Amino acid sequence: MDRRTLLASLAATGATLAAPWARAQGAYPDQMIKWVVPYPAGGGTDVIARQLAEAMRVSLGQQIVIDNRPGASTNIGAEIVARAKPDGYTIMSADNAVLAFNEHLFNKLPFNPSKDFSYIGAIGKFPLALVVNPDFPAQDFKSFLAYAKANPGKLNYASPGNGSPHHLAMEMFKNRTGTFITHIPYRGAAPAMADVMGGQVPCMFLDLASGLSIMQSGKVRVLAIGSAQRSKLLPNVPTLAEVGVPNSEVFAFQGILGPAGLPGPVVQRLNSELNKSFTTPAVQKRFADFGMEAMPGSPEQFFALARAESQRWGPIIKATGVKLD
């Protein structure tokens, strides 16, 4: 076989091999997509995922099924996705825990957050607020801090789970205010909120996505918010910086991951549909109701945000001494 014939044969073989993928590119998605949520149903992460899944289902033309896989500080859900086939049919909601915290909290993880995932796109972020049960004796932040300092070890706080943004927010708060408040982890935001409202646990850091309605209704008292500026939804609530705890911005952020090795066209399609979903009235209303700031952008921007937050929180977590294994 001469060189010209060989090259022609190779070209034909390459075209034959590429044809199935070319067809797959044009067909994606052609089956149901599983969206893993590493928290129980009912919390803010779950509600947001379901709202986005419905918006994206319409434009993708395929069913998106939410698969709640809580546990192990989101590591259970993250490991499922990291080990999934990289075909675009298994994705997940990932927050600070997967993206920035756990690599500093665990000596060994079943995944590497910077290498074992395909970053699809950021969803949004929302601040966390320090809240107490309405019957708690502290009426404002100053009196809460005084109470905590006068009663070291006697005050408990709830969180949706070990390693959650809510957990780390309070640990940073304790470190910077010299207080000793005992952590009571729950399996998700909903049961943690229920016990704070019921008075079983007096306080917690609560994200606006899960708790804005109970904050506005008075079912919990909001003492301070961990944003750079006051929230338009809670204009009378001071920031942590305003009440004397500087450099304490605490926010939860979320995005969508898939397993490492997702084909570029699949990533771009999912990213495009995610960004498109932010313009739908239903998603815009949900985000507004939750005090959530949408973060449309590229996969590269999402990856850069996650790595920057990991670098910011690494020294904070080390200073608190929190380890989860």
Side-chain angles (χ1 to χ4, degrees):
M1 182 182 295
D2 62 25
R3 183 172 182 273
R4 182 176 299 178
T5 304
L6 175 62
L7 290 175
S9 175
L10 290 172
T13 301
T16 301
L17 292 173
W21 170 234
R23 287 195 297 272
Q25 278 184 290
Y28 178 84
D30 61 4
Q31 58 182 280
M32 179 192 77
I33 297 172
K34 179 172 71 175
W35 185 323
V36 174
V37 174
Y39 289 103
T45 301
D46 177 71
V47 171
I48 290 165
R50 291 177 190 276
Q51 189 75 69
L52 290 171
E54 175 58 23
M56 293 172 67
R57 176 193 66 79
V58 174
S59 53
L60 286 168
Q62 287 293 335
Q63 188 75 12
I64 302 178
V65 176
I66 301 299
D67 183 12
N68 295 96
R69 294 296 186 100
S73 303
T74 72
N75 288 340
I76 290 176
E79 185 176 7
I80 289 170
V81 175
R83 294 184 175 183
K85 184 178 179 181
D87 56 8
Y89 294 102
T90 303
I91 60 176
M92 77 172 292
S93 290
D95 68 359
N96 310 54
V98 174
L99 301 168
F101 294 164
N102 286 358
E103 61 186 305
H104 306 292
L105 291 168
F106 290 86
N107 291 320
K108 186 177 181 180
L109 283 178
F111 56 85
N112 183 317
S114 63
K115 296 179 180 180
D116 292 339
F117 298 103
S118 296
Y119 283 69
I120 293 168
I123 293 172
K125 68 176 183 178
F126 37 85
L128 277 68
L130 177 62
V131 304
V132 296
N133 177 273
D135 294 330
F136 189 74
Q139 296 297 309
D140 56 22
F141 178 85
K142 183 178 179 180
S143 57
F144 173 83
L145 186 58
Y147 184 96
K149 288 188 172 183
N151 297 276
K154 297 180 181 179
L155 191 60
N156 297 331
Y157 77 92
S159 87
N162 288 317
S164 63
H166 318 66
H167 174 204
L168 272 297
M170 184 65 87
E171 291 301 316
M172 179 177 70
F173 172 84
K174 289 164 53 180
N175 178 265
R176 294 184 175 173
T177 58
T179 51
F180 177 22
I181 310 173
T182 303
H183 182 211
I184 308 296
Y186 286 76
R187 290 177 62 84
M193 285 191 300
D195 273 10
V196 172
M197 286 188 288
Q200 287 83 4
V201 182
C203 63
M204 71 180 294
F205 266 92
L206 180 58
D207 63 274
L208 268 63
S210 299
L212 181 60
S213 62
I214 67 170
M215 295 178 195
Q216 293 176 327
S217 70
K219 293 179 181 178
V220 294
R221 183 182 302 122
V222 190
L223 302 182
I225 192 165
S227 50
Q229 294 86 31
R230 292 193 182 200
S231 169
K232 294 179 181 179
L233 298 170
L234 299 166
N236 295 322
V237 176
T239 67
L240 285 170
E242 287 180 291
V243 295
V245 189
N247 302 315
S248 295
E249 185 178 2
V250 286
F251 60 85
F253 75 103
Q254 298 179 7
I256 301 178
L257 299 178
L262 282 186
V266 170
V267 172
Q268 291 303 321
R269 177 73 191 279
L270 290 170
N271 176 266
S272 175
E273 298 301 341
L274 173 64
N275 288 332
K276 190 189 302 180
S277 74
F278 298 146
T279 67
T280 63
V283 170
Q284 290 180 337
K285 183 179 186 306
R286 177 69 70 183
F287 278 29
D289 289 345
F290 279 6
M292 187 171 188
E293 175 189 343
M295 300 176 70
S298 68
E300 293 77 17
Q301 288 171 320
F302 177 34
F303 179 81
L305 170 66
R307 292 296 84 207
E309 280 298 287
S310 175
Q311 292 173 11
R312 180 168 81 95
W313 277 93
I316 296 171
I317 292 170
K318 184 177 181 179
T320 66
V322 175
K323 297 295 287 186
L324 297 185
D325 61 1

